[in-house]
Amino acid sequence: MAKQKLEDLDWTNLGFAYRDLPYSYNEEFKDGKWQNGGLTTDSTLTFNEAAEDLHYGQEVFEGMKAYRTKDGRIQLFRPDMNAKRFTNSAKRLVMEPYPEDKFVEAVKEVVKANADFVPPYGSGGSLYIRPFMVGTEPLVGVSPSSTYTFHIYATPVGAYIKGLHPMPYMVSKYDRAAYAGTGQAKTAGNYAGSLLAAKEAKDNGFAGELYLDPRQHKYVDEFGGANFYAIGKDGKFYTPKSHSILPSITKKSILQIAKDLGLDPSETNIDVNDLDEYTEAGAMGTAAVISPVGSLTNNGKKHVFYSETEPGPVTQKLYDTLFGIQSGDVEDKYGWVVPVE
């Protein structure tokens, strides 16, 4: 694949696709220690045919974004939280954690090296950053790898879901993850297992699928690629508390913002049979930021939230505040924004 040329980009129509940028970051773990990696122009990785990751799925990753502000600065959003989650995911998969301070610095290096590809302010785009780690030791028996590759690539993207348009979703008959499984780790297998559910949802005219808890199939867990929230008739903010969902950095941020907006947020069980108790609902995550849910269909029964055409007022306020902080238009009183020098 040829390297992306800056002059070939249409900033307002980027889509959510991979583009091969000039620089990535790579580092190897072997002989019991990390090997002092750095920037590379090589965007290919080579593994032995028996590499752990290829057969037993020992892999973890992160998703984060860099934003261009109105005055041209570039900033990251809570990269320390991505580093912590990356560590937790690695421990769950019995992998060698990558040092969290080096993680943040490596991300900054990749962004600075590809700074020309951070979309301009007002385009709706951002630089999506994908740190990941794979087990590379050739193994036949099932056991943890002793060697790993840590790698970061970046690609300019537009909005994952364009605009704040309510979308229709369906409740899936499948489980995303087991109750005591790997649901709280950001690992490839969770997403591979969701592909069939996502395909069936889209084949039936839905934007995506919503999973229920894997024990009782009664309580809302999360979407295939984002956490769920709802606004109750009491005006409060609710989001699921579960052992099998990914701990979203966006959700952590929204919980704080919702508290400051007087929404008395809580993580609790949300019964899929009690959707009439909620006036708005949405998906929240790095890719989606915040996306309103227009309707949710469960076993053929369709529930419409605030509107199928317009975002609800609380959703709009949450989005404006969060994205405003990320893009530099709203004061960051939390210390979440990290400038890329």
Side-chain angles (χ1 to χ4, degrees), residues 240-303:
K241 183 176 184 179
S242 169
H243 290 277
S244 51
I245 66 177
L246 185 71
S248 165
I249 295 162
T250 302
K251 183 180 81 170
K252 291 179 186 295
S253 307
I254 289 293
L255 282 168
Q256 182 61 59
I257 291 170
K259 180 180 179 181
D260 292 348
L261 292 176
L263 300 177
D264 191 20
S266 63
E267 294 180 87
T268 186
N269 289 332
I270 297 177
D271 194 321
V272 73
N273 298 307
D274 293 338
L275 296 180
D276 289 340
E277 297 300 315
Y278 304 96
T279 58
E280 299 180 35
M284 49 186 174
T286 298
V289 186
I290 291 179
S291 176
V293 174
S295 67
L296 184 61
T297 298
N298 183 27
N299 290 324
K301 182 180 179 182
K302 179 180 177 181
H303 175 81

Side-chain angles (χ1 to χ4, degrees), residues 160-173:
Y160 189 64
I161 300 173
K162 265 198 169 184
L164 215 57
H165 302 305
M167 305 293 283
Y169 291 85
M170 66 170 283
V171 173
S172 178
K173 63 184 179 183

Side-chain angles (χ1 to χ4, degrees), residues 12 47 85 100 151 157 169 173 188 197 246 255 257 272 294 317:
T12 59
F47 305 129
R85 189 170 66 181
E100 293 178 16
H151 196 87
V157 297
Y169 291 85
K173 63 184 179 183
L246 185 71
L255 282 168
I257 291 170
V272 73
K317 181 64 174 176

Side-chain angles (χ1 to χ4, degrees), residues 107-334:
V107 167
K108 287 182 179 179
E109 282 192 51
V110 171
V111 174
K112 285 189 286 187
N114 295 295
D116 289 345
F117 291 89
V118 180
Y121 172 86
S123 66
S126 58
L127 186 71
Y128 188 82
I129 307 152
R130 172 54 58 81
F132 65 95
M133 181 167 59
V134 295
T136 56
E137 183 180 0
L139 292 169
V140 178
V142 181
S143 62
S145 178
S146 64
T147 60
Y148 299 95
T149 293
F150 172 76
H151 196 87
I152 305 174
Y153 74 78
T155 183
V157 297
Y160 189 64
I161 300 173
K162 265 198 169 184
L164 215 57
H165 302 305
M167 305 293 283
Y169 291 85
M170 66 170 283
V171 173
S172 178
K173 63 184 179 183
Y174 302 101
D175 292 334
R176 176 185 170 272
Y179 175 80
T182 58
Q184 292 200 1
K186 200 165 177 66
T187 182
N190 294 341
Y191 295 83
S194 74
L195 295 177
L196 179 59
K199 181 180 184 301
E200 289 187 1
K202 290 174 183 176
D203 286 348
N204 283 284
F206 296 97
E209 77 284 12
L210 179 71
Y211 297 96
L212 301 181
D213 75 282
R215 275 187 162 179
Q216 302 181 65
H217 293 159
K218 178 181 180 181
Y219 300 109
V220 173
D221 250 23
E222 65 177 315
F223 295 102
N227 279 190
F228 176 91
Y229 74 86
I231 308 300
K233 288 182 176 179
D234 56 7
K236 297 180 180 181
F237 178 98
Y238 297 93
T239 188
K241 183 176 184 179
S242 169
H243 290 277
S244 51
I245 66 177
L246 185 71
S248 165
I249 295 162
T250 302
K251 183 180 81 170
K252 291 179 186 295
S253 307
I254 289 293
L255 282 168
Q256 182 61 59
I257 291 170
K259 180 180 179 181
D260 292 348
L261 292 176
L263 300 177
D264 191 20
S266 63
E267 294 180 87
T268 186
N269 289 332
I270 297 177
D271 194 321
V272 73
N273 298 307
D274 293 338
L275 296 180
D276 289 340
E277 297 300 315
Y278 304 96
T279 58
E280 299 180 35
M284 49 186 174
T286 298
V289 186
I290 291 179
S291 176
V293 174
S295 67
L296 184 61
T297 298
N298 183 27
N299 290 324
K301 182 180 179 182
K302 179 180 177 181
H303 175 81
V304 176
F305 289 97
Y306 179 80
S307 167
E308 292 186 274
T309 57
E310 300 292 333
V314 178
T315 292
Q316 184 72 59
K317 181 64 174 176
L318 291 170
Y319 175 85
D320 290 344
T321 304
L322 177 62
F323 187 71
I325 292 172
Q326 292 173 332
S327 59
D329 289 338
V330 172
E331 179 188 1
D332 173 26
K333 62 182 182 180
Y334 308 107

